């Protein structure tokens, strides 16, 4: 057990996966000697050698497409796309091939690949480096979409993603990479890929979200507690497949739900959760479902970033609105 | 069996000044009088001074991540100076040399790299594209602009600048192929600075030259010494002249070297040795042209001092103006999303601006 940041935990999970299974390969731009621009693959080349860690040319479509080929041949490629803004070039391969290979071959071939990419704003990065594009992936049937929000969850979820027999898109919030350290046991224990994680139980209002907003939700819950309101806080963590039961069970108790995400409002994955609440959850609701999200704008250049990111104050305001009902 | 040679190609490398600034033969007409090269030299210095200022601002927390063009100034200066005002520049993120020559101001560049939306508009070349951060994704745009010029029968050309790493992208191959097939008035200039972040040019492609990638698209491809501004200018000027004359697309691979880290967020010592970098300081573009000008009696120590002071002064004033700029309103992120903000977005904008008033 040692204290680790999210990016160190991811590094540890990659090393663990490569250690325990020689089929695991790492490929991507600058993942070798440079150790990845965020250092997520630091030391892997030195430890596992150039036959398992590949610096690719600048070629996102090929990184994703070759991963499909490697996976079909029995390898477990873990591809890194340097920033989510460059992952869109890989979507053709994910949507048309990775997510469908099992179906298209009636199970004869499969695609146990992981595509990792940093996501989200908050680190004053240049243009195209701050998007939260998870909804582009969650609407692709056959693809798992996972977003860790703490070092321990990063470790356990990434191990699970690598060990899974189907393609997983693994989105790592850049602003959490070095935000906190916590003890992470590098013992190979993975987390389930189809379970939301309840971080706090309160019973008065449900705060549900993923990625970069999770610490904001926890901070909001603290503030609410000081006001005498106890919040359930749920990290969705595995967007697809969605563990709606955990969310519905929480809202069955609270009757109130604030959905938080950094991605834009319209068509964001929060809308899927809201739809579940409007369906099977409808008669639990005591107040309208609230969504606290990024605006429906392009992520602004860094100066306005903090006005774009949904933070504690907006979450609190939404929770209070919700609590005023009924 | 019968085999016959059905196609033959070669790739030439052109250089007018040697690594120490000595002419290797007669210079092109535009460079016949050394005094005419002084504006190019000043532009090299101006770019280098801007880059140094920007890096210093980043290091002190007053600018965002920035990609210096240290050592590659002649690529942008040589190319942009070969363009006409109404040609169109479609640049990458490291092309401030070309942008500055074309009239984008240092203040505008600092605003942009400082994360201020207002830096995304510039008073100068209105038809030029913004820099492209996604590598190579702008080569298709350049081909599209070139098609537009061709459709309107305008004798104008498009210059698209990309890196060596960018030539590995499908976007590059797709766009170059179409441009070749349709004889578009496009010049693709590859700034081959030998590195794509931590990946060496040799690891990027097994092709002996990047210029030869053009040949597969039916486009002439050639190499130039990218640290010799005379060669870059002359070769780009010729390619632009061909484009304007309806003779189609060209690709020029400019050989140079990235003397800086990839960006201010990078630490190149993780993947390349100082010795390699030191080696490449010999032959860098500023000293090279200076040596030539001095040799020709067209440049003195005094001129040098004045030119450096002028550039430092300009960048100092630009920095002051940049730092003194009143903050942009929060609405800036909504202002240009659509021609007119849809009704559905107005409440979001108002809420975002309410956040500005104190309850973020
Ligand atoms: C499509 C895409 N993939 C990855 C990146 C991240 N990235 C930024 S610059 C760069 C290397 C580019 O190398 P090169 O084309 O040689 O240009 P240079 O930086 O050397 O000027 C990479 C991989 C990006 N900006 N766009
Ligand atoms: Mg390069």
């Amino acid at each position: 057990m040692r204290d680790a940041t999210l990016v160190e935990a991811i590094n540890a999970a990659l090393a663990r996966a490569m250690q325990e299974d020689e089929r695991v390969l790492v490929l991507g731009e600058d993942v070798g000697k440079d150790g990845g621009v965020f250092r997520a693959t630091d030391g892997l080349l030195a430890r596992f050698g150039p036959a398992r860690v590949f610096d690719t040319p600048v070629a996102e479509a090929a990184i994703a497409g070759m991963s499909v080929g490697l996976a079909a041949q029995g390898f477990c490629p873990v591809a890194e796309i340097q920033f989510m803004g460059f992952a869109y070039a890989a979507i053709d391969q994910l949507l048309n091939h990775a997510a469908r290979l099992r179906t298209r071959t009636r199970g004869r071939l499969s695609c146990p690949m992981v595509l990792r990419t940093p996501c989200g704003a908050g680190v004053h990065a240049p243009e195209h480096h701050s998007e939260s594009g998870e909804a582009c992936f969650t609407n692709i049937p056959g693809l798992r979409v996972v977003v860790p929000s703490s070092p321990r969850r990063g470790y356990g979820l990434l191990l699970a993603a690598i060990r899974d027999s189907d393609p997983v898109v693994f989105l790592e919030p850049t602003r959490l990479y070095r935000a906190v350290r916590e003890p992470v046991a590098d013992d190979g224990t993975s987390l389930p890929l189809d379970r939301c994680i309840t971080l706090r139980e309160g019973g008065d209002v449900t705060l549900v979200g993923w990625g970069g907003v999770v610490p904001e939700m926890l901070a909001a819950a603290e503030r609410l507690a000081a006001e005498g309101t106890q919040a359930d806080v749920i990290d969705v963590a595995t967007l697809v497949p969605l563990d709606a039961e955990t969310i519905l069970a929480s809202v069955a108790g609270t009757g109130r739900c604030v959905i938080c995400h950094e991605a834009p409002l319209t068509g964001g994955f929060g809308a899927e959760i809201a739809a579940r609440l409007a369906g099977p959850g409808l008669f639990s609701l005591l107040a309208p479902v609230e969504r606290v999200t990024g605006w429906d704008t392009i992520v602004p250049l860094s100066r306005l970033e903090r006005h774009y990111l949904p933070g504690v104050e907006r979450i609190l305001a939404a929770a209070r609105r919700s609590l005023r009902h009924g | 069996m019968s085999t016959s040679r059905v196609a033959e190609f070669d790739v030439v490398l052109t250089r007018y000044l040697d690594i120490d600034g000595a002419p290797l033969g007669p210079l092109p007409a535009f460079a016949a009088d050394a005094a005419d090269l002084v504006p190019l030299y000043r532009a090299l210095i101006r770019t280098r001074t801007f880059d140094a200022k920007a890096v210093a601002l980043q290091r002190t927390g007053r600018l965002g991540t920035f990609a210096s063009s240290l050592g590659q100034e002649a690529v942008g200066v040589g190319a942009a100076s070969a363009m006409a005002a109404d040609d169109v520049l479609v640049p990458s993120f490291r092309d401030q040399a070309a942008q500055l020559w074309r009239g984008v101001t240092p203040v505008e560049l600092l605003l942009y790299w400082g994360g201020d939306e207002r830096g995304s508009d510039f008073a100068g070349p209105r038809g030029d594209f913004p820099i492209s951060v996604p590598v190579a994704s702008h080569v298709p745009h350049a081909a599209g602009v070139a098609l537009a010029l061709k459709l309107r029968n305008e004798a104008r050309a498009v210059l698209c600048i990309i890196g060596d790493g960018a030539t590995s992208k499908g976007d590059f191959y797709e766009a170059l192929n179409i441009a070749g097939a349709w004889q578009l008035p496009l010049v693709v200039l590859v700034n081959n600075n030998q590195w794509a972040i931590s990946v060496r040019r040799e690891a990027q492609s097994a092709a002996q030259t990047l210029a030869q990638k053009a040949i597969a698209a039916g486009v002439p491809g050639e190499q130039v010494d990218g640290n010799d501004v005379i060669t870059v200018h002359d070769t780009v000027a010729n390619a632009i002249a061909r484009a304007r004359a309806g003779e189609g697309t060209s690709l020029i691979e400019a050989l140079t070297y990235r003397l800086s880290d990839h960006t201010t967020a990078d630490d190149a010592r993780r993947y390349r040795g100082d010795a390699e970098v030191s080696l490449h300081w010999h032959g860098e573009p500023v000293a090279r042209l200076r040596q030539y000008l001095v040799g020709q009696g067209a440049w003195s120590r005094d001129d040098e001092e004045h030119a450096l002071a002028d550039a430092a002064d300009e960048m100092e004033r630009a920095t002051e103006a940049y730092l003194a700029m009143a903050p942009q309103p929060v609405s800036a992120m909504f202002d240009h999303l659509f021609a007119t903000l849809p009704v559905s977005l107005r409440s979001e904008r108002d809420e975002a601006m309410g956040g500005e008033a104190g309850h973020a």
Side-chain angles (χ1 to χ4, degrees):
Chain A
M1 185 97 70
R2 67 177 181 113
D3 275 7
T5 60
L6 174 60
V7 75
E8 288 163 356
I10 282 168
N11 183 260
L14 287 168
R16 165 70 62 159
M18 294 187 81
Q19 179 65 39
E20 72 185 15
D21 185 346
E22 62 184 18
R23 298 171 308 165
V24 177
L25 308 175
V26 164
L27 69 158
E29 292 156 19
D30 308 288
V31 298
K33 217 168 181 181
D34 198 31
V37 293
F38 286 102
R39 310 291 176 249
T41 57
D42 197 15
L44 297 181
L45 175 64
R47 182 157 164 207
F48 298 103
R52 295 187 63 196
V53 179
F54 303 91
D55 268 336
T56 65
V58 187
E60 284 76 11
I63 291 170
M66 288 183 71
S67 296
V68 174
L70 284 164
Q73 279 292 314
F75 283 98
C76 303
V78 184
E80 175 176 304
I81 300 290
Q82 208 159 75
F83 285 91
M84 185 176 243
F86 315 129
Y88 303 115
I91 285 185
D92 176 31
Q93 290 295 337
L94 293 174
L95 193 155
N96 284 321
H97 298 293
R100 302 162 77 118
L101 192 61
R102 184 182 292 284
T103 298
R104 291 183 59 230
T105 60
R106 306 316 298 161
R108 182 170 52 81
L109 298 177
S110 63
C111 193
M113 66 178 275
V114 176
L115 188 122
R116 299 177 38 246
T117 189
C119 69
V123 296
H124 291 282
E127 273 186 286
H128 307 279
H129 288 67
S130 301
E131 280 68 23
S132 295
E134 62 269 18
C136 298
F137 300 100
T138 53
N139 202 225
I140 299 177
L143 199 62
R144 291 177 189 271
V145 181
V146 178
V147 189
S149 66
S150 77
R152 273 205 290 275
R153 294 194 285 282
Y155 179 85
L157 289 169
L158 182 55
L159 271 183
I162 297 171
R163 291 171 186 161
D164 191 69
S165 23
D166 289 304
V168 181
V169 168
F170 196 84
L171 306 175
E172 303 166 3
T174 38
R175 71 178 146 131
L176 302 187
Y177 265 150
R178 295 184 169 79
V180 292
R181 280 180 182 281
E182 66 177 1
V184 177
D186 183 7
D187 58 3
T189 306
S190 61
L191 288 167
L193 280 184
D194 50 4
R195 277 280 166 277
C196 292
I197 301 165
T198 303
L199 299 176
R200 185 172 174 130
E201 287 182 85
D204 295 332
V205 58
T206 303
L207 309 181
V208 57
W210 56 90
V213 298
V214 170
E216 309 284 333
M217 295 194 303
L218 288 168
E222 279 297 318
R223 295 264 298 273
L224 287 170
E227 297 170 9
T229 300
Q230 303 304 329
D232 286 3
V233 178
I234 298 173
D235 177 1
V236 178
T238 57
L239 279 58
V240 179
L242 177 65
D243 170 20
E245 287 69 31
T246 297
I247 301 169
L248 289 169
S250 166
V251 176
T254 63
R256 303 162 206 282
C257 189
V258 180
I259 302 165
C260 310
H261 57 71
E262 197 176 310
L265 176 80
T266 303
F269 192 71
E272 179 60 35
I273 295 174
R276 306 290 178 109
L277 292 172
L282 183 66
F283 298 114
S284 307
L285 289 174
L286 299 171
V289 172
E290 294 277 350
R291 283 189 288 162
V292 179
T293 70
W295 311 117
D296 283 332
T297 64
I298 292 152
V299 182
L301 299 183
S302 58
R303 291 277 181 92
L304 293 180
E305 210 170 40
R306 73 195 168 85
H307 293 279
Y308 174 87
L309 288 171
V312 178
E313 298 301 334
R314 286 180 58 207
I315 297 170
L316 276 176
R320 291 183 188 129
R321 270 196 306 275
S322 174
L323 286 156
R324 277 201 291 272
H325 288 274
Chain B
M1 184 186 84
S2 118
T3 60
S4 52
R5 177 152 301 189
V6 292
E8 242 172 297
F9 313 103
D10 59 1
V11 176
V12 299
L13 165 62
T14 305
R15 149 185 309 141
Y16 282 101
L17 296 184
D18 79 5
I19 190 164
D20 295 310
L24 292 160
L27 298 187
F30 87 93
D33 184 348
D36 291 341
L37 299 174
V38 167
L40 296 182
Y41 182 66
R42 286 185 186 281
L44 295 177
I45 288 185
R46 186 169 176 246
T47 302
R48 186 163 291 186
T49 310
F50 173 81
D51 278 346
K53 190 77 203 175
V55 170
L57 285 169
Q58 192 282 335
R59 298 285 185 233
T60 50
R62 294 176 292 173
L63 202 77
T65 301
F66 177 76
S68 166
S69 67
L70 187 65
Q72 306 138 73
E73 298 90 345
V75 176
V77 168
S81 61
M83 298 172 74
D86 70 345
D87 290 331
V88 180
L89 176 70
V90 185
S92 298
F93 52 85
R94 206 186 292 284
D95 290 328
Q96 52 272 21
Q99 290 188 298
L100 285 167
W101 180 281
R102 302 264 304 154
V104 179
T105 67
V107 178
E108 289 160 346
L109 290 176
L110 291 175
L111 279 171
Y112 172 80
W113 291 106
D116 189 313
E117 300 290 331
R118 291 170 296 188
S120 294
D121 189 18
F122 32 79
R126 303 298 289 174
D128 283 5
F129 262 57
I131 59 156
S132 178
V133 172
V135 166
S137 60
H138 56 311
V139 192
H141 309 157
V145 173
L147 177 59
L149 302 183
K150 185 181 168 112
L151 289 174
R152 290 197 302 254
N153 277 315
E154 293 174 347
R156 298 164 63 193
V158 184
L159 179 82
C160 180
I161 312 182
I162 60 174
D164 45 303
T167 70
S168 298
K169 286 279 290 180
D171 308 48
F172 162 79
Y173 287 104
E174 293 180 27
L176 197 69
N177 183 63
I178 293 188
W182 295 358
Q183 295 266 301
L184 300 180
L186 171 66
V187 180
V188 176
L189 176 62
V190 180
N191 169 350
N192 176 359
N193 61 12
Q194 311 302 332
W195 289 91
I197 309 186
S198 71
V199 176
R200 285 182 184 283
R201 156 64 186 87
E202 296 72 32
Q204 196 69 233
S205 171
Q208 198 178 345
T209 70
L210 300 178
Q212 74 204 55
K213 294 192 177 192
I215 290 164
V219 166
E222 59 183 306
Q223 281 187 333
V224 296
D225 184 328
N227 288 357
D228 174 9
V229 74
I230 297 173
T231 309
V232 176
H233 176 100
D234 189 58
T235 309
V236 172
N238 290 337
I240 285 181
R242 287 196 300 274
R244 289 208 195 101
E247 291 165 31
T249 304
S250 307
L251 182 140
I252 300 162
E253 176 189 1
L255 301 174
T256 178
Y257 189 83
R258 198 193 80 206
L259 290 170
S260 65
D261 290 335
H262 168 68
T263 64
T264 50
D266 174 51
D267 175 9
R269 289 189 179 173
R270 288 177 64 88
Y271 52 80
R272 72 178 184 187
D274 288 342
E276 177 186 321
V277 181
S278 305
L279 203 70
H280 282 93
W281 270 100
H282 185 192
E284 60 86 9
V286 175
R288 193 184 300 197
L289 185 59
R290 181 173 57 240
Q291 283 164 314
Y292 175 71
L293 293 177
V294 168
Q296 297 294 305
W299 196 249
S300 66
R301 184 164 299 207
D302 233 33
D303 292 332
E304 179 75 6
E305 271 172 28
H306 279 112
L308 290 175
D310 287 351
D313 209 50
E314 182 193 6
M315 297 316 159
E316 202 49 57
R317 276 182 285 116
T319 301
E320 280 166 22
Y322 159 66
L323 294 174
M325 197 77 87
Q328 64 193 328
V330 169
S331 59
M333 68 174 124
F334 292 88
D335 289 347
H336 295 283
L337 197 59
F338 293 102
T340 45
L341 193 69
V343 175
S344 63
L345 270 162
R346 286 189 204 152
S347 58
E348 280 197 23
R349 184 189 55 187
D350 294 346
E351 202 184 332
M353 291 186 67
E356 187 175 30
H359 42 101

